[in-house]
Amino acid sequence: MALIQQKLKLKSAVKGKDLLKRKADALKMQFRQILKELIDKKKNLGNCYNDALIYLARANYSSSGEISRTVEENVKSKSDIKLSLKTKNHAGVICPEFSLRNMDDEKLSRDMEILGITGGGHTLNIAKKQFLEYLNLIVGIATLQTSYKAIDESLKITNRRVNALEYIVVPRIQFVMKYIDTELQERAKEDKFRIKKVLQNKKKHKEILEKLKESEQGEVVEEVNAFIQEEEDDDDEIIF
């Protein structure tokens, strides 16, 4: 019974190890993909920021330096662009996914009405789009960076579990199974020796009984012969 239980434990441990290895492989694939996207976006981050600053300088030059004061007068206390949060499942790991909302072209083209085309409104509109693209890139990097850390931590935990099952749990169960099997073999040998000993004792007992019976029969025959001899001797004395 104990050996059967250990076999079931070993089967479950091996199955769990295989499943965790598959999960680790899937996490490694997602990890490499996210790392590649993260590196590409971080490389594009500097170029995007430089382009946004260049267009902002052009807009400032087109408006003869009045753009900063005009923008400050028309800026809102709260931004129309909001950050939304969703979740995404990467091979069993729940990762946050950030995105921007209310990025409509109608709301972004108000600079044309404020400054006009000749006043630098068109160039400022392009600069704003560049900064929004830069902001969207930062949000994408934040999503990838968060997913990168979560998957990296989950991958470490999964690898530790795989190593624990492969090098600790499974060998321990195999050792217990080997010990139980050895004990069962020793018990079987003892039972076999005990049965053999019992049979030998029964055989000896039977032989002893047969010898006793033979000896008892021999004694009876000797007594009868002795009695007959005595009777014959008595008869001879009476005749003479």
Side-chain angles (χ1 to χ4, degrees):
M1 187 67 183
L3 186 60
I4 295 174
Q5 292 178 354
Q6 293 299 322
K7 286 182 178 180
L8 292 175
K9 286 183 180 180
L10 181 62
K11 184 178 180 181
S12 300
V14 172
K15 186 176 181 181
K17 183 190 70 175
D18 293 337
L19 291 175
L20 286 175
K21 277 188 175 180
R22 292 180 185 177
K23 181 181 178 181
D25 293 337
L27 287 175
K28 287 178 182 178
M29 185 175 65
Q30 291 288 335
F31 184 78
R32 293 191 190 99
Q33 183 178 357
I34 289 174
L35 182 60
K36 183 179 178 182
E37 293 179 1
L38 185 62
I39 291 172
D40 293 337
K41 286 194 174 185
K42 284 188 175 181
K43 286 181 179 179
N44 295 329
L45 187 64
N47 296 329
C48 185
Y49 184 63
N50 290 333
D51 294 339
L53 290 178
I54 288 172
Y55 278 105
L56 180 62
R58 288 180 181 178
N60 195 14
Y61 177 77
S62 300
S63 63
S64 301
E66 296 294 330
I67 190 170
S68 298
R69 185 171 59 187
T70 306
V71 170
E72 289 176 359
E73 290 175 356
N74 292 275
V75 73
K76 294 181 179 180
S77 59
K78 291 184 179 180
S79 175
D80 294 329
I81 300 174
K82 304 295 182 182
L83 185 67
S84 61
L85 175 62
K86 297 179 182 179
T87 56
K88 189 175 181 180
N89 192 341
H90 293 282
V93 180
I94 305 299
C95 300
E97 186 176 6
F98 305 103
S99 60
L100 296 176
R101 293 185 288 111
N102 300 330
M103 294 183 64
D104 300 333
D105 293 335
E106 295 180 357
K107 295 181 180 180
L108 300 178
S109 61
R110 292 178 182 175
D111 298 320
M112 295 283 290
E113 300 175 0
I114 297 172
L115 298 174
I117 297 176
T118 58
H122 179 68
T123 310
L124 182 62
N125 192 22
I126 296 175
K128 179 179 280 189
K129 288 182 179 179
Q130 289 292 328
F131 273 106
L132 287 175
E133 184 179 351
Y134 175 70
L135 181 61
N136 197 11
L137 192 60
I138 291 175
V139 172
I141 289 174
T143 300
L144 292 174
Q145 191 75 36
T146 308
S147 300
Y148 173 84
K149 290 183 178 180
I151 292 176
D152 183 45
E153 188 65 27
S154 179
L155 185 60
K156 289 179 181 178
I157 294 173
T158 304
N159 286 331
R160 283 198 294 266
R161 289 175 179 175
V162 170
N163 292 332
L165 285 172
E166 186 172 2
Y167 297 107
I168 297 176
V169 177
V170 172
R172 184 180 297 171
I173 295 174
Q174 290 176 346
F175 175 77
V176 173
M177 288 177 60
K178 186 177 180 181
Y179 174 76
I180 293 173
D181 187 59
T182 304
E183 289 295 324
L184 290 175
Q185 290 179 1
E186 291 294 330
R187 187 177 296 177
K189 289 180 181 179
E190 290 177 0
D191 292 339
K192 186 177 180 180
F193 177 76
R194 191 180 296 110
I195 292 171
K196 186 177 180 180
K197 200 71 177 175
V198 169
L199 292 175
Q200 289 178 355
N201 291 334
K202 284 185 177 180
K203 187 176 180 181
K204 287 182 180 179
H205 183 66
K206 186 176 180 181
E207 291 176 355
I208 291 170
L209 288 176
E210 289 178 354
K211 288 180 180 180
L212 287 174
K213 287 181 181 179
E214 290 177 356
S215 62
E216 289 177 356
Q217 289 178 359
E219 290 177 358
V220 171
V221 170
E222 289 178 356
E223 289 179 358
V224 171
N225 291 331
F227 179 74
I228 293 171
Q229 187 67 31
E230 289 178 0
E231 290 292 331
E232 290 178 353
D233 292 338
D234 292 337
D235 292 338
D236 291 338
E237 289 177 0
I238 292 170
I239 291 172
F240 293 103

